[in-house]
Amino acid sequence: MKKVDIDTKVKFLHGFSNKTRIQILESIKEEEKTVSQIVDDLNGNQSNISQHLACLKGCGLIVGRQDGKYVYYRVRNQLVRDLLTMFDVVLEDVENNIACCENHID
């Protein structure tokens, strides 16, 4: 396996480092959706959601498909879906540690 540059890895992980971006990824994990559908799912505002979609797209985690006046967003591929599922599996294992962590830095 090719060694990944640490700065690139940090930029990649940045895509997962925000509550709204995680909510978006979960919203489109199984099916593609428009911005309006995502805004409805998250009870957010379109401007904020659009900024996070741009970040996720820039990080390569999602793709968009133009259909008429709508853009449909979806998770890039099965590897990203698997990674989101793996986060849940690992989180289940370490959840108590995270809840008790006093060293978490925002």
Side-chain angles (χ1 to χ4, degrees), residues 64-83:
R65 174 183 66 83
Q66 185 82 39
D67 186 8
K69 66 179 186 171
Y70 297 103
V71 177
Y72 289 85
Y73 292 96
R74 64 178 171 79
V75 172
R76 180 184 193 95
N77 57 30
Q78 188 60 45
L79 288 173
V80 176
R81 278 187 213 89
D82 291 346
L83 185 55

Side-chain angles (χ1 to χ4, degrees), residues 8-19:
T8 303
K9 188 180 281 190
V10 169
K11 287 179 182 179
F12 171 73
L13 291 172
H14 179 73
F16 298 102
S17 68
N18 178 276
K19 180 179 178 179

Side-chain angles (χ1 to χ4, degrees), residues 11 13 19 25 35-36 40 44 53 64 78 85 88 100-101 104:
K11 287 179 182 179
L13 291 172
K19 180 179 178 179
L25 289 167
V35 174
S36 297
D40 288 345
L53 285 166
Q78 188 60 45
T85 299
D88 292 339
C100 297
C101 181
H104 181 76

Side-chain angles (χ1 to χ4, degrees), residues 97-105:
N97 298 90
I98 292 170
C100 297
C101 181
E102 296 178 11
N103 298 314
H104 181 76
I105 301 170

